[in-house]
Amino acid sequence: MKKFTRQPEDGPPKRKVPRKATPKYLGNVARFYLERYATTETGLRRYLMRKVTLSAKEHDTDPQEGIEAIEALITKFRDLNFLNDERYAEGRSGSLHRRGTSLRAIRQDLSLKGVPEEEINKAINIIEEESINPDLEAAVSYARRRRMGPYRPDEEREERRERDMAALGRKGFSYAIAEKVIQAEDLELLEEEAGLF
C-alpha cells in the first residue's frame, strides 16, 4: 500500500487581496448577494460598505465614490423591487414566529437587520391578526420542536422543569407563558388555547 506524504509548503499562504470597489464590481457583488440571500436595504449597504472599506485600505480609493455607488445601487434595486424591507420583514417575522420566536425577539431581530420601525410594526400586526395568542402559539411551537415540558417523557419533566423555563425565557417569553407551557397537564387543551388546531 502506497503512503502519501505531505510536501512542505513554500512559505505562508498568500493573502487574498481585496478587489478594487468600482461601481461595476459593487453591482456584480450586490446582484450575487441578492440572488443568494434575502436582505434589507441596511443589510446590503453594510455588506457593500465592507467591500468599499477594504478597497480604500488596499488600493487607496476614495470611500465617498463607493458610498455614492452603493446608494445608487440600493435605489436601483429598490425600484426593481429586488430590495423590499416590508416584504423582508413580513417573511422573516412569519418564519421566526413559526419556529417559536416571541414577538419581542422578532422585533429585536428585525431591528438588528436594519428594518425600519414602521415596517416592523406592520409585520408584528400581521402576526397578531393571524394568531389567537401569538406568543403562546410560538412558545408551544418551540417547546414541541425542542421536546420540552409536556413534550418530554413524564419521568424527565420535573428534573428538567427549571431548564425548560429558562430556555423559554431566553427566547423572549414572559414567565407566565413559560410556566403555562412547561407545566401544562393537558396537551390538547394547551395547543387548542394556542390556536394550533
Side-chain angles (χ1 to χ4, degrees):
M1 187 167 144
K2 189 174 181 181
K3 284 192 172 183
F4 292 95
T5 56
R6 293 185 78 185
Q7 297 295 320
E9 295 182 12
D10 297 332
K14 291 185 179 179
R15 183 176 71 88
K16 187 176 177 183
V17 177
R19 302 251 326 251
K20 201 169 195 176
T22 63
K24 182 179 179 183
Y25 170 71
L26 291 172
N28 290 338
V29 166
R31 276 189 291 282
F32 181 74
Y33 190 78
L34 289 172
E35 286 173 7
R36 296 188 72 194
Y37 307 105
T39 191
T40 60
E41 291 178 22
T42 301
L44 182 61
R45 186 178 288 113
R46 285 177 188 155
Y47 177 72
L48 294 176
M49 272 308 299
R50 286 194 298 269
K51 302 285 184 190
V52 168
T53 303
L54 288 172
S55 173
K57 286 179 184 173
E58 186 69 32
H59 302 287
D60 201 29
T61 54
D62 183 9
Q64 188 57 40
E65 288 177 20
I67 291 169
E68 290 168 10
I70 290 170
E71 292 309 316
L73 284 168
I74 287 175
T75 301
K76 174 184 171 184
F77 289 131
R78 185 187 322 119
D79 292 345
L80 293 170
N81 207 22
F82 293 154
L83 272 177
N84 185 322
D85 285 353
E86 181 178 0
R87 186 179 62 219
Y88 175 85
E90 287 176 17
R92 179 128 178 111
S93 63
S95 172
L96 289 171
H97 185 255
R98 284 187 297 279
R99 283 180 20 213
T101 305
S102 68
L103 294 182
R104 184 171 66 181
I106 290 170
R107 183 176 293 281
Q108 182 180 11
D109 178 86
L110 293 176
S111 181
L112 290 172
K113 298 285 186 190
V115 177
E117 189 69 27
E118 180 184 334
E119 304 304 338
I120 293 173
N121 291 335
K122 284 182 193 174
I124 296 292
N125 287 340
I126 289 171
I127 292 172
E128 290 174 335
E129 288 169 9
E130 293 176 350
S131 180
I132 298 168
N133 191 337
D135 270 349
L136 182 60
E137 181 183 336
V140 171
S141 295
Y142 183 71
R144 181 170 51 197
R145 193 164 55 86
R146 300 292 305 269
R147 292 176 171 69
M148 296 165 39
Y151 298 97
R152 283 193 188 285
D154 288 338
E155 61 274 8
E156 294 179 16
R157 278 189 74 179
E158 190 53 43
E159 70 180 72
R160 302 265 187 161
R161 180 184 172 284
E162 292 301 318
R163 193 176 298 166
D164 290 350
M165 293 277 294
L168 286 176
R170 285 191 300 274
K171 290 293 282 183
F173 296 107
S174 69
Y175 183 84
I177 285 180
E179 187 174 48
K180 177 177 253 180
V181 172
I182 298 305
Q183 300 205 73
E185 295 300 328
D186 187 335
L187 196 53
E188 195 173 310
L189 190 64
L190 176 69
E191 291 181 346
E192 187 177 336
E193 187 179 346
L196 290 171
F197 285 122

